[in-house]
Amino acid sequence: MEIETLWEEVRELSLGLSGEVERLNTPPTPIQFLRDFVSQNKPCIISNAINHWPALSNWSNDSYLIKSLSSSSSSDPLVSVHLTPNGRADALAPLTKANDSLCFASAHVQHMPFPEALSLISSTGSNFVAYAQQQNDCFRLEYSALSPDCDANIPWASDALGCLPEAVNLWIGNHLSETSFHKDHYENLYAVVTGSKHFLLLPPTDVHRMYIRDYPAAQYLYSQDTKDFTLELDKPLRYVPWCSVNPYPSGKNKVEEMEKFPLFFQGPKPFECTINPGEILYLPSMWFHHVRQSPDDNGRVIAVNYWYDMQFDIKYAYFNFLQSIHYPVLKNTSLKIESEDQLKTNSSEDELCAGVS
């Protein structure tokens, strides 16, 4: 079909016959970055772009981090830590153990002093996974004491894009932290400081392969008394359009998942790339990405990313048009849940997931 031809053509135009994300040994000039990557909506990996950051040596030292973030001008500096039972926040999860209807699950968020946060992130034997992933400009809001250790923006990217980053975020996690497939309306410059990040990438033209559907939003609640998690639906009930595909299904679910999402598993493979300390990934706006990570010797991965506003230009219009095209495999009617009771009585994941955004 024409859309499947589009998938192949975009791959060849984006990454060439090699099928690999292009690597630059030195930072590009602003005009090169704009011409060869931003305007083409094409990812790349840049080496030797942050070698001057003190963070590359300082942030692998726990004592340095604790001292820096405990001597803030604030009398009681707190950071946000996201807790989940499995390391997958902002991801799909069964609402209850007895009901496999899926919801979009956000993490339980706790605010605590940084030393306590670092201890929780390093504690991989617990019944929870802790991840510092607040986003929302958290580096400048919660970790500003570390700002001398890295650049306030990526200069050649700021010059090319004609603006400063809207948000700068810090990410501190362990090997269990994982980010499900999604896309962002930002030009993303993602710099790894310690450990490694493993990305799966798909271009915006592969939107039909993501099986984006509307899921009821819920949030994990963690009980300090029972040490258990529960999921509670947002009130009032709202829906989040999210990618249905898990690219790494467990052994017992693998066949079922591959049959349920054939466009993903039988189509062209996602682009794979690993970002190591000192490297930056340019992740273009609206590219779908899934992230796993490998920790350093301290058991952690630390990264800083810069979100620049995307241009809502003709490319955005093309994407919306493509997304609106009906694809035969996805023909289902949507089921809207009006109440929590109705959701709990609906144990059919297929019915719940039928709505395509």
Side-chain angles (χ1 to χ4, degrees), residues 199-250:
F199 284 80
L200 294 181
L201 306 178
L202 284 173
T205 45
D206 285 34
V207 59
H208 295 98
R209 302 181 61 208
M210 293 284 89
Y211 295 84
I212 298 175
R213 295 166 175 171
D214 290 337
Y215 293 94
Q219 186 164 28
Y220 281 113
L221 300 177
Y222 181 69
S223 169
Q224 297 288 353
D225 296 329
T226 65
K227 308 301 182 185
D228 289 328
F229 284 91
T230 57
L231 271 170
E232 183 174 290
L233 288 170
D234 285 7
K235 296 179 181 179
L237 192 64
R238 66 183 181 91
Y239 285 80
V240 176
W242 205 252
C243 302
S244 303
V245 174
N246 172 13
Y248 301 109
S250 60

Side-chain angles (χ1 to χ4, degrees), residues 135-141 152-154 157-158 161-169 184-189 305-312:
Q135 304 175 66
N136 300 323
D137 207 25
C138 68
F139 183 72
R140 294 186 288 206
L141 295 176
N153 66 91
I154 305 298
S158 298
L161 297 168
C163 61
L164 294 173
E166 179 177 294
V168 183
N169 304 309
D184 300 307
H185 292 98
Y186 290 103
E187 307 294 350
N188 191 352
L189 278 296
N305 86 295
Y306 300 79
W307 273 340
Y308 290 83
D309 276 336
M310 66 171 281
Q311 292 295 317
F312 289 87

Side-chain angles (χ1 to χ4, degrees), residues 93-135:
L95 185 61
T96 67
K97 293 180 180 179
N99 184 346
D100 60 359
S101 294
L102 294 180
C103 62
F104 174 79
S106 299
H108 174 85
V109 181
Q110 289 187 193
H111 305 283
M112 62 190 71
F114 180 76
E116 183 181 344
L118 193 63
S119 176
L120 289 184
I121 294 168
S122 303
S123 178
T124 58
S126 307
N127 62 336
F128 59 79
V129 178
Y131 194 11
Q133 56 153 53
Q134 177 66 9
Q135 304 175 66

Side-chain angles (χ1 to χ4, degrees), residues 187-198:
E187 307 294 350
N188 191 352
L189 278 296
Y190 202 103
V192 174
V193 177
T194 71
S196 299
K197 295 272 186 173
H198 311 292

